[in-house]
Amino acid sequence: MQYLLLLITRNAFRQKLRTLLTILGIVISTVAFGLLRTVVDAWYGKAESASSAHLITRNAISLVFPLPLSYKNKIQQIRGVAAISYSNWFGGIYKSEKNFFPQFAVEPHSYLNLYPEYLLSSEEKKNFFRDRQGAIAGKRLAQKYGWKVGDIIPIRGTLYSGDWNFMLRGIYQGAHKTTDETLFLFQWEYLNEKLKEVAEKRTDHVGIYIIGLENASQAAEVSQAVDDLFKNSPAETLTETEKVFQLGFVAMTEAIVTVIKIVSFVIVAIIMAIMANTMAMSARERKREYATLKALGFPGRFIALLVYGESIIIAMTGGLIGLGLLYPTATIFVSKMGTFFPVFKVATKTAWLSLGTAFMVGVSAAIVPAWQGAHTPILSGFREVG
């Protein structure tokens, strides 16, 4: 067996330049494939990390239209509701338009109770609760802009015009690797008070309600109860699970995700063609050797085994090197993308998929050359080469 492996390995690297170029192609395609799959996973990351025990209630017409603050107490009375909070998209600009990050006005006590994965020290939490103008930011967001606790964060309003200054009272850290550390949260009361001065009709309204359930299995029942409660009212509601709510945003960019998926499979198809060409050239050059082996009594399946072995060794060498480079490449990529992807991590599934793809490329590329090598008559093999 060891002699067979030695023979296959030497065959694989007999044409060193060609083999190295083929491996280089597989390395690049493995990194590209893994990176694109990770981008797709990151697109769904927010939805995947959503809690099944949370519901989101928004205006049934559109997310653009707010809901009255008075709904809060009514929702709280519904059976199965354990907690409720609310938030409002702010959408301001920090220094320039390119510095995008999600900003929400929230009711701090109830919001942080619903999201215990946002870890703050007790002092930071206390200061945030006490300061009407206070704000907290995720660790990644603070690192990107070099913020520290006590800094004044100036934001220019777009949906809510004017210049807004926030005192950074805390920097939260995610409890899990999938926790979003790119959020900027400040007190909804601060927003509401400022609106009373400039746009009183917009006061006492919120963007969405976040409902914490007593039991996740009650999601459908509670959703229906909330929507029935406000049916035929001036602001009807649409209640759905947090995951469905997040997937609604993904659906808006479904075309982009589909294109990324297609490109990842096109890359695999291209490298499969390159690998198949390499194996075809290799098998064509060795017809005399195959004919000699057959003349010595080796069966056709032995020839096929040599071709398959050579192809798989080349493909897996490229796949393993590519997988090793995928992780540092992903780290560099996400550092350049800033806070665009809240969660960006190469999944174990993606790693196995990359290796599996490399293996399949090796197997697929050897099918035709192996069949030809195994079935070419001995005389024909000598005649074509000689």
Side-chain angles (χ1 to χ4, degrees), residues 59 67 86 136 147 149 185 197 206-207 212 221 272 296 300 340 353 371:
N59 193 301
L67 293 171
Y86 47 87
I136 58 172
W147 295 342
V149 174
L185 307 174
E197 300 170 6
V206 302
E221 181 186 334
M272 195 177 286
L296 290 173
F340 187 80
L353 196 59
W371 188 89

Side-chain angles (χ1 to χ4, degrees), residues 306-333:
L306 289 179
V307 177
Y308 272 113
E310 184 179 338
S311 181
I312 290 171
I313 281 181
I314 293 174
M316 290 307 292
T317 302
L320 287 169
I321 296 173
L323 185 60
L325 293 174
L326 174 59
Y327 291 92
T329 306
T331 303
I332 295 170
F333 177 79

Side-chain angles (χ1 to χ4, degrees), residues 26 272 275-276 279 304 307-316 355-371:
I26 296 173
M272 195 177 286
M275 187 70 196
M279 292 312 300
V307 177
Y308 272 113
E310 184 179 338
S311 181
I312 290 171
I313 281 181
I314 293 174
M316 290 307 292
L355 280 183
T357 303
F359 181 79
M360 287 306 299
V361 166
V363 172
S364 306
I367 291 175
V368 175
W371 188 89

Side-chain angles (χ1 to χ4, degrees), residues 285-305:
E285 291 168 357
R286 292 173 196 164
K287 279 190 176 178
R288 177 184 282 180
E289 295 175 27
Y290 297 156
T292 303
L293 286 171
K294 282 186 177 180
L296 290 173
F298 287 94
R301 61 176 179 277
F302 181 78
I303 307 297
L305 186 62

Side-chain angles (χ1 to χ4, degrees), residues 91-112:
I93 296 172
Y94 174 66
K95 292 185 178 177
S96 71
E97 283 78 359
K98 66 179 181 181
N99 297 324
F100 171 81
F101 55 85
Q103 306 143 15
F104 294 97
V106 302
E107 199 294 305
H109 294 83
S110 55
Y111 191 88
L112 290 180

Side-chain angles (χ1 to χ4, degrees), residues 231-299:
K231 200 170 184 179
N232 297 323
S233 70
E236 293 190 1
T237 60
L238 174 64
T239 304
E240 52 202 354
T241 61
E242 193 175 40
K243 183 172 185 175
V244 173
F245 178 74
Q246 295 294 345
L247 286 175
F249 289 99
V250 177
M252 295 178 193
T253 56
E254 190 66 29
I256 299 173
V257 178
T258 303
V259 168
I260 294 173
K261 286 180 180 176
I262 291 172
V263 170
S264 68
F265 288 113
V266 167
I267 289 171
V268 173
I270 291 172
I271 195 58
M272 195 177 286
I274 294 172
M275 187 70 196
N277 182 57
T278 299
M279 292 312 300
M281 290 172 66
S282 177
R284 194 163 52 244
E285 291 168 357
R286 292 173 196 164
K287 279 190 176 178
R288 177 184 282 180
E289 295 175 27
Y290 297 156
T292 303
L293 286 171
K294 282 186 177 180
L296 290 173
F298 287 94

